[in-house]
Structure formats: structure tokens, C-alpha cells
Amino acid sequence: MNISFPLQLPTNVQPDAREGLTVAPPCSADLQTVADVSDFLSTLFALLDESAIQYCVLKRREAISAVGMEALELAVDRAHRRKLPRIFCNLPKERYQPVQCIGGDAGTDHFHFALSHGSQPQFVRVSVLYPQSGSLLSAVQNEIFVRRQWQGNCWMASPADEFSYLLAKTTQAESLTNVDEGRLRLLVERLGTTAAESAAGELFGVMNRSEIVIACSISAFGSLLHKLRCVPRHNLASRVVRSTLASIRKGRQWFRDWCRPNGLLITILGPDGAGKTTISTKIFDLFGPGFGPHRLFMWRPEVLPRLSQNPTTIDLPHSKPPHGYWESLARILATFLDYWIGHFILVKPLLCRSALILYDRDIHDILVDSRRYRYGGPRWMLRLLTNALPRTESLFLVLDAAPEVILKRKQEVPPEEVRRQLAAYQRLAAELPDSYLIRTDGALEATTSSVTQSIVRHLGLRYERRYLQKKTAGALA
């Protein structure tokens, strides 16, 4: 997730004035966020130590503003990679809920947590790097744990290893922040020229090490990024082997993502006036940074062309008569086919890329309001087709409100139809798997809180199914 947070300094480490970093005075909300995150980090570090996990923090951060926050970056012994997701399940669930584990580049996992904070959770990201060939820590390997240093309440990478990591990361990304540039300059001062050149030489060869250290010492390393990106770090045979292994790893990762995608599919159902558009916007705002691409579908994926033009903006949902029997069957079968084709060529590939997908109504909506879709065929066909949809982990949010509130917002259907639809949506919510009934006739803050808590609960249960229950079942067997 690109949801991120500030890294709290160990208590006995103070910012160095020579870094030249300025931090804006935090507001009260920022201070509360920092306090929550600080408690989370202390609990996380204690859990890792209790579980005998070899780790160290890769980058030190002094910034405490809630704006422009960065994720925690840890190096963890790759021997612990398989059990790390289960260990995070031992965090106090009522306060810290793991909700996502996304495999990134070679030797990297991104864990996402929801911190309980008032009515809205605070989302944080912990990026875990495993020293191995082809990773950002390939130059240091497991020696990083031999040289780590205990500071305050956690293990920190040694200055030489932090310097090596920052060089590798910024070169790979071909971008350098002002904070990282200042940190590189300070690390060169602390290490000295000889030690800094030794670390740079491990990454880029002896021909470039002096130029790199000089550039870092005068805060000009950014000018070398493009040049260093093109520097061959290994001989031809080694590059061929590494490229082959990288392709195999990518293939394995693609297969894992296809079988167990990390994206999230949410369907929002409810009558006109229940607040679907507002809720969709809130979901993208709150959860969007933690996922990849964002997509909003209206009714169906639309990989197949529409059979008719969209209705005009003045058309009311029930203003036109239903289609005939055979035309209705043809249209619903075409919609069903669109879902199947769209699932394999659009929806599933997006979910494999950790996308956040929202449906503003989907095919299940026709079970409640067939008149909206001018369906004049048999009801049993609708049940048959909705039960035969391609299976995927998804969440249904069914919006509910008092009839008078709905009618005050929109008066597109008669009051008796509104009441009928509300009762039908409530029954549908009880039938659908992973479904939550959300009241939307209160304050927007209360509605948003219910939505976020439902999504966090869904993600938390999915995380436990994937990483905790599977291990428990194996142990019982």
C-alpha cells in the first residue's frame, strides 16, 4: 500500500542539526497520529524481538508531520519470511489489524496495518526487505544483522549499511528526496571517505566510488542517478543468470497473484438517494492510496458494447416499459457473458495488480429492481445467472436509510416503491456473502466510519484466512 507513516526515532537518538532538515510544527491531529504510530512501532518491535526475528530498521526519520509521511522500512532475515505474516497476527487485534501483504520486487513484502483511532482507522505500511541476490540489500546480505546497532527500542542498520541501502534504492528509483540527499551527506561525514568509498564500490565498482562519495558529500548525488543506472554491476554471464532468475521469480509471483490477488472488489447496492456516489468517493479517498489502479464500474464491466444508447439524464428509472420476454432474456444473457469475459480479461488482471475496484450497482441489483433494467423475463433466470457468476473474493456494501430520508434526497420512484426496495435490499444483504448493511441516514462521519470499519474487518478476515487459519489447519492435521 502506498499508505505510509512517520518513523519514530529511538528515544536515545536525537536529530543532528548538521542535516539541515526543517520540520513544520505539527498540529494537534498530527501529534495524535504520531503518538498512535509510535505506540504501534514499539509494539511491533517488541513482537519481533519476542519472536526471535532478526531485523533492523533501514532508514532513520526525524519528520513527525502527518503530511508527506514515509513508510517504515525493515530488513528481515529471509529465513523468517514465511512465518512473518503469521507473527503479525499476534499484534493486539483490537488496536492493530494486519489487512494486507503485497509482494513487491525481488526480496520485498509490503505489509499494511489498520490502527484503531477514534471513528476512523489510521493506515500504516511496513516494507520488509530480505537480503538476497537481486534485491536492494544484495551488497550487504545477512552481514547487515551482524553489524546492526541497538538504539532505544529497536535495532537500527549500521551507518555503512544504511548508506549502501540508500545508494541502491535511490539509483533504482532514479529519484532522490531532499531528506535522503541530506542523509547521504551526513553518512559520508560519519563514515569517512575510505569507508564510504568501500560501500559505494561494492555497488558500482571501484571506477565510480570516488565520484559517488564526492557527489554525496556536496549534496549532488542526484546528478549521477541516470549515469549509475546504466553502470553494469556484473559480468555478462552473471547478468544472464540473474536475469533468468528474475524472470522465474516474476513468473512465480504472477502465478501467486492470480491465485490469490491482493486487490479489493467492492459492490455498493442500494436505492437511488441512499448515497452510493458519496460513499464511492469516500472509499477511494480513504483506501485508494493503499492499492494500485482505481476503477469504478457502473452495473457491468462493459467489455462488450452496449446494446442501446444510455438513457438521457431526465429519464426516470421506471419511466419506460419492460422489454419483451425474448429480448429481456437476450439482454440478461449478454450481461452475464460480459461479466464472465470481463472477469478474465479485465477484473482479475486488475485485482492481481492490487487494484481497488468499485461497482456502483452490479448484476445483483436486478434481483431487487428489475424494472430499472426493463427486464421482462422469468425471475428464476435472474437467480440462476447471479449464482453462476465467476467466483472472487468481494465485499458487498448494501446502503439503507429511512424511506423519508431517501425521498427527501431523490423522488424518482413512488414512496411505496422506495419502501419495497429497502425491504428487498435488506433481504439481499442477508443472502450475499461478505455483505454489510450500512445506514446512511445519519451524519456523514458516522456513515463513513461504518464503511471503513466494514472494509477493515473484511480485509482483516481475509488476511487471517490466508496466513493464520491455513497454518492452524495444517498443525491440527
Side-chain angles (χ1 to χ4, degrees):
M1 239 175 253
N2 295 330
I3 303 171
S4 52
F5 61 97
L7 174 59
Q8 178 75 7
L9 270 179
T11 54
N12 65 341
V13 180
Q14 299 298 327
D16 196 312
R18 293 178 297 166
E19 293 194 31
L21 305 179
T22 59
V23 179
C27 65
S28 58
D30 293 342
L31 290 175
Q32 181 60 52
T33 297
V34 171
D36 292 340
V37 172
S38 178
D39 291 342
F40 167 71
L41 293 181
S42 298
T43 305
L44 178 68
F45 295 143
L47 177 63
L48 293 174
D49 289 327
E50 292 170 3
S51 305
I53 299 296
Q54 282 195 320
Y55 79 93
C56 61
V57 178
L58 289 171
K59 286 203 305 181
R60 190 180 66 162
R61 276 289 182 261
E62 285 76 27
I64 62 173
S65 172
V67 180
M69 299 179 293
E70 294 235 357
L72 175 66
E73 297 174 344
L74 295 178
V76 172
D77 189 337
R78 60 181 173 178
H80 304 310
R81 186 172 192 175
R82 287 185 177 274
K83 65 179 180 180
L84 197 60
R86 297 193 301 274
I87 289 174
F88 288 149
C89 290
N90 295 327
L91 288 166
K93 188 181 301 184
E94 68 279 2
R95 298 171 58 196
Y96 314 124
Q97 175 67 64
V99 295
Q100 187 84 293
C101 175
I102 300 177
D105 297 330
T108 306
D109 287 327
H110 302 287
F111 293 91
H112 310 285
F113 300 85
L115 279 58
S116 298
H117 172 58
S119 60
Q120 299 296 336
Q122 170 75 20
F123 296 99
V124 299
R125 174 168 60 94
V126 177
S127 296
V128 179
L129 289 82
Y130 308 95
Q132 64 184 51
S133 177
S135 71
L136 291 174
L137 299 176
S138 58
V140 297
Q141 296 291 335
N142 279 359
E143 292 298 314
I144 193 173
F145 305 116
V146 177
R147 295 186 289 264
R148 63 181 180 169
Q149 302 171 356
W150 180 258
Q151 296 183 3
N153 62 350
C154 67
W155 290 100
M156 303 286 294
S158 69
D161 291 331
E162 182 185 357
F163 182 65
S164 176
Y165 169 67
L166 282 177
L167 289 178
K169 181 182 179 182
T170 53
T171 302
Q172 184 185 79
E174 291 192 61
S175 64
L176 181 66
T177 65
N178 292 334
V179 174
D180 285 341
E181 192 167 53
R183 187 65 183 158
L184 286 171
R185 184 182 70 250
L186 179 60
L187 287 170
V188 168
E189 294 178 14
R190 289 184 175 177
L191 290 171
T193 301
T194 301
E197 287 186 353
S198 176
E202 288 289 332
L203 286 170
F204 304 105
V206 296
M207 299 296 294
N208 300 285
R209 61 185 183 181
S210 296
E211 183 181 8
I212 292 171
V213 171
I214 292 173
C216 291
S217 66
I218 61 175
S219 299
F221 183 64
S223 61
L224 299 180
L225 291 179
H226 180 69
K227 173 184 175 182
L228 294 176
R229 177 78 174 182
C230 302
V231 171
R233 306 180 193 180
H234 309 281
N235 58 40
L236 179 60
S238 178
R239 291 202 299 273
V240 171
V241 172
R242 288 172 181 269
S243 177
T244 302
L245 292 176
S247 298
I248 294 174
R249 284 193 295 265
K250 287 182 179 179
R252 292 174 58 190
Q253 184 64 47
W254 179 89
F255 181 75
R256 285 195 296 266
D257 289 342
W258 183 267
C259 296
R260 197 173 63 183
N262 286 303
L264 178 60
L265 175 62
I266 301 176
T267 299
I268 304 177
L269 301 172
D272 286 322
K276 292 184 293 297
T277 301
T278 302
I279 295 303
S280 299
T281 302
K282 284 292 183 180
I283 291 174
F284 279 130
D285 290 343
L286 292 173
F287 291 89
F291 290 86
H294 304 164
R295 290 293 298 269
L296 175 65
F297 295 130
M298 308 291 289
W299 167 241
R300 65 184 181 90
E302 292 195 11
V303 294
L304 298 179
R306 288 180 174 271
L307 298 179
S308 61
Q309 296 297 320
N310 292 328
T312 64
T313 56
I314 61 174
D315 282 341
L316 297 179
H318 298 172
S319 61
K320 295 181 179 180
H323 296 295
Y325 185 92
W326 295 111
E327 183 178 356
S328 295
L329 286 179
R331 287 177 177 271
I332 195 62
L333 288 173
T335 300
F336 177 75
L337 183 62
D338 187 55
Y339 269 89
W340 266 97
I341 297 176
H343 175 78
F344 289 103
I345 71 172
L346 180 59
V347 175
K348 191 68 176 287
L350 282 171
L351 293 175
C352 292
R353 294 164 54 198
S354 303
L356 177 58
I357 301 175
L358 294 187
Y359 270 103
D360 186 338
R361 303 181 190 270
D362 75 346
I363 194 171
H364 293 89
D365 195 60
I366 200 171
L367 297 172
V368 172
D369 191 8
S370 59
R371 279 289 306 278
R372 168 183 291 273
Y373 307 98
R374 303 178 65 187
Y375 180 75
R379 294 284 301 177
W380 62 264
M381 178 62 74
L382 301 180
R383 287 288 179 181
L384 176 65
L385 295 181
T386 53
N387 289 332
L389 291 172
R391 300 296 180 183
T392 186
E393 289 182 315
S394 58
L395 172 65
F396 292 91
L397 300 178
V398 183
L399 308 187
D400 189 33
E404 55 271 17
V405 175
I406 298 291
L407 291 169
K408 185 177 180 180
R409 294 172 181 170
K410 286 189 177 182
Q411 300 179 358
E412 296 183 344
V413 295
E416 58 274 14
E417 175 62 16
V418 172
R419 296 186 182 92
R420 186 200 67 79
Q421 288 185 17
L422 288 171
Y425 280 119
Q426 292 172 8
R427 292 192 297 270
L428 182 61
E431 298 172 2
L432 292 172
D434 295 319
S435 174
Y436 293 87
L437 193 65
I438 306 294
R439 297 289 300 188
T440 63
D441 46 8
L444 179 59
E445 182 179 356
T447 300
T448 304
S449 176
S450 297
V451 170
T452 55
Q453 290 175 14
S454 299
I455 296 175
V456 167
R457 176 175 171 79
H458 173 77
L459 291 172
L461 291 174
R462 186 178 77 172
Y463 184 95
E464 291 180 0
R465 285 196 302 270
R466 292 181 174 184
Y467 302 107
L468 184 60
Q469 296 180 6
K470 179 179 178 181
K471 179 65 176 180
T472 303
L476 292 176

